[in-house]
Amino acid sequence: MTPVILLAEAKKSAEVTDWGARIGWLVGLALFIALVYWLMREGWKWRGTLQAGLPPLPAAPEDTGPARLSMSGRYHGSTTAGQWLDRIVAHGLGTRSRAQLTLTDVGLEVERPGAADFFVPRAALRGARLDKGIAGKVLTEGGLLVVTWQHGDKLIDSGFRSDRSAEHAEWADTLNKMTNDTEGAR
């Protein structure tokens, strides 16, 4: 019984005797983390270089008319349509941010504080759906509004999440009606 009592009486842990090894491990770990961060950043820049052929994003016209729908929430990014993991980073489309969406008869205006705003003309809208994920964000079923649009020769899916997710269904229905009306007019 004496050894148990001696262990309980110990008031402090053993002192570190090999400071050099400990500091070496910490410096090595910090260098490894810096390398991983640098590689991720270079990969992001390389993806932007590969997508440099994407034309510049259109700006919103001066007069867009009255708003059909308005929504505040988050922009979660854009991907190649139908490929929810193929993120598009060119022209700031890969930057997640807060967003204010305004749908008018002219198109969809996306205002993003701290990131590049963009505008999707009505003729470029191809549809909308409720989904559960886009590159970098996975939610419950129907938790994400995904708008499909044409930009140059590329179909793009852009993911949005409203502050009030009950709005998603109305947005998807309205956008799909608008695209059906536009297709009928062509």
Side-chain angles (χ1 to χ4, degrees), residues 74-105:
R74 291 203 57 84
Y75 167 77
H76 287 288
S78 292
T79 63
T80 302
Q83 299 176 12
W84 72 284
L85 290 176
D86 185 22
R87 184 184 294 256
I88 296 174
V89 301
H91 306 299
L93 287 175
T95 306
R96 291 176 59 177
S97 63
R98 293 282 307 156
Q100 177 68 35
L101 273 67
T102 306
L103 181 65
T104 66
D105 289 332

Side-chain angles (χ1 to χ4, degrees), residues 47 58 65 80 109 122 126 131 135 141 143 161 167 172:
R47 183 174 280 275
T80 302
E109 185 175 3
R122 181 177 182 164
R126 296 294 180 259
D131 212 332
E141 190 66 46
R161 179 165 174 80
E167 296 177 329

